[in-house]
Amino acid sequence: TVAKEQLREVRYEKAQGEGIAKITINRPEKRNAFTPRTVMEMSWCFADAREDPAIGVIILTGEGPLAFCSGGDQSVRGAGGYVGADGIPRLNVLDLQMQIRRLPKPVIAMVAGYAVGGGHILHMMCDLTIAADNAVFGQTGPKVGSFDAGYGSTQMARLVGQKKAREMWFLARLYDAQQAMDMGLVNTVVPLAELEPETLQWCREILKNSPTALRVLKSALNAAEDGQAGIQQLGGDATLLFYQSEEGNEGRQAYMDKRPPDFSRFKRLP
Ligand code: 2NE
């Protein structure tokens, strides 16, 4: 794990008073390829943004106009995963994908340049993608001896359909921003110079809306696809809401008062 003062491969910013956090993969010389450390740093930032009650939306992006993220850093790939300073091979980006998926706040991918390989999967895991007109999308795995048979395959098929997902993985072609838009991979395409202002505008529109509604909607949209794990997330939100109700509190209070609970005043709605 890492701490805030140890962030080296990622930049983390919060717009004061705005409710927006921005996580920037900061390895432009490698087209923002990630190492195990980059992933640990991103994970720390996402955890912080989740815990911070002032944050309502999180932007994930890459440094510079050339790349969002080019996937795993092939120069540190070893047998069994990507190898960091501790010499241990890791595929910790898979845990990061889950973290983004389960995070109860909207996460927006702001994509300029290449979003390829594991970088393409990261954008697919985000709730929304705003693309610059220079963005390029695709999977390279089969060309470099890799694949993601988890969300990288299943989430893609949900987004673009089975035929197109098989095309993307089997041929490992790259697609421009408009093609990605036509496939349903991204929400909008804007000129590069407007990428950040447009993304901020989307964040501000989201931030005007009910945080609880957004939280439950993200859970619900996940639950429809994630089986038991998705229901667990939605179920947790139901408990969170119930704990805030008088009815939920009556049970707890009765237990603490060592008396039988009295639920008689709570209506059974049709
Ligand atoms: C991204 C792309 C298409 C960009 O091409 P271009 O021509 O704009 O740049 P260039 O010259 O290829 O890259 C600039 C520098 O960045 C390094 C390059 O080696 C180069 O270094 P120098 O020659 O200047 O020293 N670089 C770029 N991407 C890198 C990477 N992923 N790892 C290490 N170094 C990288 C072009 O660079 C490209 O195709 N990159 C490779 C994309 C790729 O195959 N990614 C891995 C996919 S597998 C994966 O991510 C994965 C998975 O499938 C499952 C689990 C976890 C991860």
Side-chain angles (χ1 to χ4, degrees), residues 216-243:
V216 177
L217 284 166
K218 178 163 176 173
S219 289
L221 290 162
N222 287 354
E225 322 242 314
D226 284 359
Q228 266 190 312
I231 292 168
Q232 202 241 15
Q233 187 181 1
L234 186 59
D237 285 350
T239 307
L240 181 155
L241 290 171
F242 188 52
Y243 273 21

Side-chain angles (χ1 to χ4, degrees), residues 29-31 33-34 70-75 82 91 93 114 116-118 140-141 144 146-148:
E29 70 288 351
K30 292 244 185 184
R31 299 294 184 268
F34 55 77
S70 63
D73 186 329
Q74 298 305 295
S75 69
Y82 295 83
L91 286 165
V93 74
Y114 290 101
V116 299
T140 59
V144 296
S146 182
F147 57 82
D148 183 332

Side-chain angles (χ1 to χ4, degrees), residues 242 245-268:
F242 188 52
S245 72
E246 272 187 58
E247 183 178 345
N249 197 46
E250 165 59 15
R252 186 198 71 90
Q253 199 55 53
Y255 176 81
M256 295 306 293
D257 295 347
K258 301 190 188 307
R259 62 171 170 82
D262 176 9
F263 292 113
S264 61
R265 69 181 186 279
F266 303 108
K267 301 264 183 294
R268 291 178 177 81

Side-chain angles (χ1 to χ4, degrees), residues 98-119:
M98 296 286 290
Q99 189 181 4
I100 295 171
R101 182 82 170 176
R102 301 300 284 268
L103 208 152
K105 301 173 181 179
V107 181
I108 302 182
M110 182 170 83
V111 178
Y114 290 101
V116 299

